[in-house]
Structures are given as structure tokens and as C-alpha cells.
């Protein structure tokens, strides 16, 4: 079965990108009164403790959400310019004194709602972020297949006493989530956030998106994906772009790189993988408000979450 557990990765740079985009997207979609249905095809456990065993073991949040919460260093030596850092720095400087971009401030305020005493001991996953923002008449459909995470998700959601607003399904999100499309109000956001631990996840995202668009062409679709040296990962945004363009739908593609993807040598001479260096979000039918928000937020995220001089970002849209 699956070995991926999101608890090891909660609050890392990929979550920061994904959840910043998710919140900015939802904020816009929730401006209209008509009910919204959110389908989270790969929900995870819903809520994580950053001071718990899993997060402590990996320490990934330390280079993600926790960096954004840390007060800025009093004096900061400018990074020696590598090619990518240079291009990010051009758009960022003088970032240390600049106020936080609206989308980042909003993300931090949502995380703050779960941590009234400050910090980020509790990190909400996508199900809790979405539920926190939804109104009573909106709906949330959560898919999670991992037996342990599905149980935890069930228990976490039960505490919300949200009744019929939230459905937790221990089903294959790729296999059956399209049954909720289109929803009766004909307004939906679908988040596709698989773990990509099996290569076929890339193709399944594409198949799912194609089927979903066919059933419900005006839904908003958001796909998170890892940027790693693997042909399927490289091809995914390109194929999503082709799909959206052929369907005549607008799209937006945002990426955040925090470090080089090159193998590094350990002191004993072995080579080491660097861990996830970058990730992207691809949206079909994005809100028109998203691009300007990300144009302001991504340079700051690239600077604040940089782990080496290769940190950078990109933002592109079409349709
Ligand atoms: N969306 C969550 C968030 O932002 O907090 C994180 C989700 S995590 C990256 C991916 C989850 O998908 C894992 O918990 C994994 O067990 C689950 N999963 C993997 N394959 C699945 C499938 N076919 N259907 C539903 N869930 C699946």
C-alpha cells in the first residue's frame, strides 16, 4: 500500500505554495453568494501537529511556514548573486523591509486562526483550511485512501460537527470524485494533490482533469505537482496547458523553487538527493484576481524560503 504520509511534510515549502494559492482562490470564489462545492481528491489527515513526532522527524516545516513566521533578521547580507537568485532578487529587493504581500499575509492569518497563541504548533491541511473558509451552505467532499490517514481524517472532521456539509470518502479520488461534478449550484473548486509516489499518478491527474472538464467545463481545477528530475513531472504542466488551451479555458501556472535539484556529495563521498527542491500549482479557470496576488507573493516566497542561490519562481497564464 502507500508509504507517503503527509504528516512528515506538513507546512513545508510545497504546502506554503499550495495553501497560499488555495486560500487566494477560495477567497475569490466565496465572494459570490451561490453555494460552492469543494472536492479535495487527496485530502490527507486534515490537521497536523508541527511539534509532533512526524513533523519533528522531518523538520520540513522549519524551512516552510516556520520561516515565514520568524521575525526578519535585523541585518541581512545580500546573497551573492547566482543566476536564479539574481532574477528573483531583482523583483524582490528591498524585501526585508517590504510589507508582506497580501496573499502571504492572508495565508498566515488563516494559519494564525488555528494557533490563537501564536506560532504554528497546529498546521491545517487542505480539508481544514477549506472548511474554515466555507460558509454553512457550501459543501466539502474529501477523498483519502490511506487507511490510517483516512481514520485520522474522519476523527478530525467529526470534531467539527459539520454534519452533512462535509463528506469523507475512503475512496480513490481519481476513480470516483467526478461523480460530484457538476454540483447542483454549478460552482466548484477541485483540488488535486496526490503524493505522486507512484509514477502513474501523473497520467491519472491528466485523465481525471480531462474527464472533469468534460463533465463540468466551468469548474475551477487546481493541481499541485512536484518539480523533480523526472519526465512525467516535467510534462505534466505542459500537458495541462495543452488541455486547457484546447478546451478554450484560461489557465495559470505558478512555481516556487527553494534550492537546486542537483545531487550533493556527503563528507563520506556518497551522493545525496536534496529533498523536494520545487513545486508548482496549475489552475484551469483560475480566478482573475489570482495572478496579481501571486505576482506580489511569489518573489517574497522565493526570497524567504530560499535554501540556496537557486531559489526562484515563475508565473505564467493564458487563455
Ligand atoms: N491535500 C492535503 C493537504 O494539502 O493538506 C495533502 C494530501 S497528500 C499530498 C496526498 C494524500 O493522498 C495522502 O494522504 C495519500 O494517502 C492520499 N492518496 C494517495 N492516493 C490516493 C487516491 N488514489 N485517492 C485518494 N487519496 C489518495
Amino acid at each position: 500500500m502507500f508509504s507517503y504520509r503527509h504528516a512528515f511534510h506538513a507546512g513545508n515549502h510545497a504546502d506554503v505554495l499550495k495553501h497560499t494559492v488555495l486560500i487566494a482562490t477560495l477567497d475569490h470564489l466565496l465572494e459570490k453568494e451561490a453555494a460552492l462545492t469543494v472536492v479535495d481528491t487527496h485530502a490527507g489527515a486534515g490537521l497536523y501537529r508541527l511539534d509532533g513526532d512526524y513533523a519533528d522527524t522531518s523538520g520540513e516545516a522549519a524551512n516552510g511556514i516556520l520561516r515565514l513566521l520568524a521575525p526578519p533578521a535585523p541585518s541581512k547580507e545580500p546573497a551573492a548573486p547566482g543566476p536564479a537568485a539574481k532574477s528573483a532578487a531583482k523583483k524582490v529587493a528591498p524585501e526585508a523591509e517590504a510589507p508582506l504581500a497580501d496573499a502571504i499575509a492572508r495565508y498566515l492569518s488563516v494559519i494564525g486562526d488555528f494557533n490563537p497563541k501564536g506560532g504554528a504548533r497546529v498546521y491545517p491541511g487542505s480539508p481544514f483550511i477549506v472548511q474554515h473558509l466555507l460558509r454553512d451552505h457550501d459543501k466539502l467532499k474529501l477523498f483519502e485512501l490511506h487507511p490510517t490517514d483516512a481514520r485520522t481524517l474522519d476523527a478530525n472532521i467529526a470534531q467539527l460537527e459539520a454534519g452533512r456539509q462535509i463528506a469523507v470518502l475512503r475512496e480513490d479520488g481519481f476513480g470516483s470524485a467526478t461523480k460530484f461534478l457538476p454540483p447542483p449550484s454549478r460552482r466548484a473548486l477541485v483540488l488535486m494533490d496526490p503524493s505522486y509516489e507512484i509514477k502513474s499518478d501523473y497520467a491519472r491527474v491528466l485523465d481525471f482533469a480531462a474527464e472533469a472538464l468534460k463533465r463540468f467545463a466551468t469548474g475551477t481545477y487546481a493541481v499541485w505537482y512536484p518539480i523533480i528530475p523526472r519526465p512525467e513531472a516535467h510534462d505534466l504542466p505542459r500537458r495541462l496547458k495543452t488541455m486547457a488551451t484546447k478546451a478554450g479555458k484560461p489557465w495559470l501556472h505558478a512555481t516556487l523553487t527553494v534550492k537546486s535539484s542537483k545531487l550533493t556529495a556527503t563528507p563520506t563521498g556518497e551522493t545525496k538527493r536534496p529533498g523536494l527542491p520545487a513545486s508548482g500549482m496549475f489552475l484551469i479557470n483560475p480566478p482573475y484576481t489570482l495572478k496579481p496576488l501571486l505576482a506580489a507573493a511569489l518573489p517574497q516566497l522565493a526570497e524567504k524560503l530560499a535554501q540556496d542561490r537557486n531559489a526562484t519562481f515563475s508565473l505564467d497564464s493564458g487563455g
Side-chain angles (χ1 to χ4, degrees):
M1 186 64 194
F2 311 108
S3 58
Y4 181 94
R5 308 294 303 281
H6 195 67
F8 287 110
H9 310 285
N12 69 0
H13 63 87
D15 264 7
V16 171
L17 173 68
K18 181 195 346 173
H19 295 153
T20 299
V21 171
L22 177 64
I23 291 166
T25 302
L26 271 173
D27 277 349
H28 179 80
L29 292 174
L30 292 171
E31 276 175 11
K32 274 200 184 144
E33 186 48 31
L36 181 74
T37 294
V38 180
V39 180
D40 191 346
T41 60
H42 295 71
L47 206 55
Y48 306 92
R49 292 293 303 242
L50 294 187
D51 58 356
D53 289 346
Y54 291 110
D56 265 356
T57 308
S58 66
E60 290 190 20
N63 279 323
I65 173 71
L66 297 179
R67 277 212 200 177
L68 295 180
L69 290 173
S75 75
K76 208 169 168 189
E77 287 295 314
K86 230 191 212 167
S87 68
K90 237 189 281 163
K91 294 164 196 140
V92 176
E95 196 280 328
E97 297 80 34
L100 277 181
D102 288 351
I104 304 176
R106 174 73 174 132
Y107 163 70
L108 292 180
S109 90
V110 170
I111 302 302
D113 291 343
F114 289 85
N115 294 278
K117 291 186 181 153
R121 279 173 57 186
V122 173
Y123 190 83
S126 50
F128 270 66
I129 289 176
V130 174
Q131 195 279 337
H132 184 61
L133 301 180
L134 290 190
R135 303 142 319 168
D136 288 349
H137 60 292
D138 300 316
K139 296 269 187 267
L140 175 56
K141 314 289 183 193
L142 301 170
F143 288 80
E144 174 54 50
L145 259 191
H146 192 290
T148 312
D149 280 356
R151 249 195 322 274
T152 310
L153 178 65
D154 247 340
N156 283 334
I157 293 293
Q159 288 187 17
L160 294 171
E161 297 184 359
R164 292 163 61 108
Q165 183 185 36
I166 311 180
V168 178
L169 299 101
R170 292 189 192 191
E171 294 173 21
D172 178 3
F174 285 135
S176 56
T178 50
K179 68 186 169 196
F180 292 114
L181 302 177
S185 67
R186 300 197 69 83
R187 300 189 67 238
L189 166 65
V190 180
L191 173 65
M192 284 161 260
D193 181 25
S195 44
Y196 298 94
E197 67 183 310
I198 32 180
K199 207 167 70 174
S200 56
D201 274 355
Y202 297 92
R204 295 194 79 199
V205 165
L206 289 164
D207 291 346
F208 181 89
E211 170 67 17
L213 262 181
K214 213 186 300 165
R215 292 175 74 112
F216 183 40
T218 55
T220 296
Y221 299 98
V223 175
W224 177 88
Y225 72 97
I227 300 179
I228 48 176
R230 164 166 227 163
E232 294 83 3
H234 180 78
D235 282 351
L236 184 63
R238 199 174 48 76
R239 289 176 179 234
L240 285 167
K241 202 181 294 182
T242 305
M243 186 186 297
T245 306
K246 276 194 181 151
K249 297 294 166 194
W251 54 269
L252 179 146
H253 182 206
T255 71
L256 176 65
T257 300
V258 298
K259 61 183 168 183
S260 163
S261 61
K262 291 209 176 91
L263 296 175
T264 52
T266 65
T268 56
E270 288 159 288
T271 49
K272 205 177 93 183
R273 294 222 160 268
L276 183 68
S279 70
M281 284 291 281
F282 193 99
L283 286 92
I284 301 176
N285 295 323
Y288 72 92
T289 46
L290 190 57
K291 192 170 183 189
L293 285 170
L294 293 181
L298 286 169
Q300 291 190 352
L301 290 179
E303 163 141 339
K304 287 179 179 296
L305 303 186
Q307 294 182 36
D308 67 26
R309 290 172 187 178
N310 295 280
T312 188
F313 64 92
S314 68
L315 181 61
D316 198 7
S317 64

